[in-house]
Amino acid sequence: MNFQTFNEFIEENQEFSSEIQFLINSNIRFKVFTHLVNCPVEMRRLNETTFLSYSSISNNIHRLMDKEYITKKESKFYPTAKGIIHFAMLLDFSDSIGIVNNYSMFWQEHDIRPLLVESLMELHVLENCELVESVPLDIYRPHNELKNLIMTSGSLKLLFPYLHPEYPGIVADLIHRGANLEILLPEDILINLLHGVGIETIQKGLSSKNLAIRYFKKEVRLALAIGDGAAAIGLFKCDGSYDQNRLLTSEDEEAVKWTLNIFEHYKSQGLNFNLADFDLGL
């Protein structure tokens, strides 16, 4: 993936963009296709319901057929699978652009490469999310929001790209409380976490099957937290520093699933943690 920001992502996906442009560049074509998606009909019926001229309908019908967006069966025109998929993508894409515009400070100024291309196509599911930002009277608001999500959940999936000084203590507390905890993190962060939490506590979590750890040999520039019915996302700035001043959170079911899909992708890329493989100098 060569893109870094959301605008670069759009430019990178020119084929997708051209398909979108084909549908929206003509109001007549868009109107005709939208009608056929809802109700396949013959030319005469299209003329009666859309109030468009026969020549306008015929011209755009042929263009849609050339692009394999619609097909003709007997006298009726039907949308093809390709047409329906691209139409759905267009609607989702339009909603996604709205999400980007609503939270432009979060999406436009951050490195979105760690997010999956499929996920970026489905940003519309974050419609009901909340952007938590630092303010002069509460500069630690994003951290405290994330901390509250973690500490109040009985089941947690966490992706740590960096180690805040409070995290080892929080993780140790979760283990002692018997919370179900899955952690993904880079190897160097893992070593620091092991020292901070304590080997005995880590062993307790592993032996009770309440703790699962996977790690990466390389840096991951993404923070995720998925708790009991809530999710939080943190991104890095384009200069490579983690933005501790902004956090995207949501309690919407679809948004939580969206975040979980990204977590599961990274989980599949991680290495199984075995305490015996680490020389901790203890």
Side-chain angles (χ1 to χ4, degrees):
M1 296 186 291
N2 297 320
F3 63 85
Q4 184 175 33
T5 65
F6 192 83
N7 288 339
E8 290 172 354
F9 163 71
I10 298 301
E11 295 173 2
E12 185 80 5
N13 290 270
Q14 287 299 323
E15 181 177 352
F16 170 72
S17 298
S18 65
E19 296 292 348
I20 294 299
Q21 290 297 326
F22 172 74
L23 280 176
I24 64 177
N25 277 349
S26 166
N27 290 331
I28 295 175
R29 183 158 59 246
F30 184 75
K31 187 174 183 179
V32 168
F33 186 78
T34 301
H35 190 89
L36 293 176
V37 167
N38 294 323
C39 181
V41 293
E42 66 277 4
M43 183 81 75
R44 178 184 59 81
R45 186 60 179 160
L46 267 176
N47 171 253
E48 293 173 352
T49 55
T50 64
F51 302 104
L52 298 170
S53 67
Y54 272 103
S55 59
S56 295
I57 295 172
S58 178
N59 177 58
N60 284 281
I61 282 287
H62 283 102
R63 296 200 65 182
L64 287 164
M65 291 183 71
D66 288 343
K67 290 281 287 186
E68 298 180 344
Y69 273 63
I70 63 173
T71 186
K72 188 176 183 180
K73 297 178 182 178
E74 297 180 350
S75 61
K76 290 185 177 181
F77 296 96
Y78 294 78
T80 63
K82 172 186 175 181
I84 292 173
I85 290 171
H86 284 165
F87 184 69
M89 291 171 66
L90 167 60
L91 298 182
D92 290 346
F93 182 74
S94 298
D95 290 340
S96 295
I97 291 297
I99 296 298
V100 173
N101 290 335
N102 289 341
Y103 306 109
S104 59
M105 291 291 286
F106 185 76
W107 295 111
Q108 301 285 18
E109 299 181 2
H110 293 81
D111 184 353
I112 64 168
R113 287 175 297 182
L115 299 174
L116 310 181
V117 171
E118 311 90 82
S119 298
L120 292 172
M121 292 290 192
E122 298 177 349
L123 282 182
H124 60 279
V125 304
L126 302 182
E127 179 181 6
N128 297 317
C129 62
E130 178 186 358
L131 180 60
V132 180
E133 296 184 279
S134 297
V135 293
L137 295 179
D138 189 1
I139 62 173
Y140 299 112
R141 186 178 171 223
H143 169 70
N144 290 330
E145 187 79 15
L146 179 59
K147 179 180 174 181
N148 181 65
L149 188 159
I150 294 173
M151 295 183 68
T152 58
S153 296
S155 181
L156 273 163
K157 299 179 187 294
L158 302 171
L159 171 55
F160 286 148
Y162 75 103
L163 194 64
H164 187 279
E166 289 191 66
Y167 287 171
I170 292 173
V171 169
D173 181 62
L174 290 168
I175 294 173
H176 289 305
R177 285 200 285 113
N180 293 315
L181 184 59
E182 282 189 76
I183 301 177
L184 310 179
L185 67 179
E187 185 175 19
D188 58 336
I189 304 298
L190 170 58
I191 293 173
N192 290 330
L193 181 69
L194 295 175
H195 282 289
V197 173
I199 300 305
E200 288 186 5
T201 301
I202 293 292
Q203 288 175 326
K204 175 183 177 181
L206 295 173
S207 61
S208 66
K209 307 297 183 182
N210 289 333
L211 174 65
I213 300 175
R214 294 178 72 86
Y215 66 97
F216 313 101
K217 290 289 187 179
K218 60 182 180 181
E219 178 185 36
V220 177
R221 294 186 174 185
L222 178 66
L224 298 177
I226 306 162
D228 297 338
I233 307 162
L235 295 178
F236 280 67
K237 299 177 185 177
C238 292
D239 63 9
S241 61
Y242 181 73
D243 188 354
Q244 300 187 53
N245 297 314
R246 295 181 182 87
L247 186 74
L248 205 63
T249 66
S250 182
E251 295 181 356
D252 182 84
E253 183 179 355
E254 290 302 312
V256 173
K257 288 181 180 178
W258 184 89
T259 310
L260 180 59
N261 286 337
I262 298 175
F263 179 90
E264 292 297 329
H265 167 78
Y266 280 99
K267 178 180 175 180
S268 69
Q269 305 296 313
L271 301 172
N272 281 321
F273 169 71
N274 188 333
L275 192 56
D277 295 334
F278 288 79
D279 180 10
L280 301 174
L282 299 178

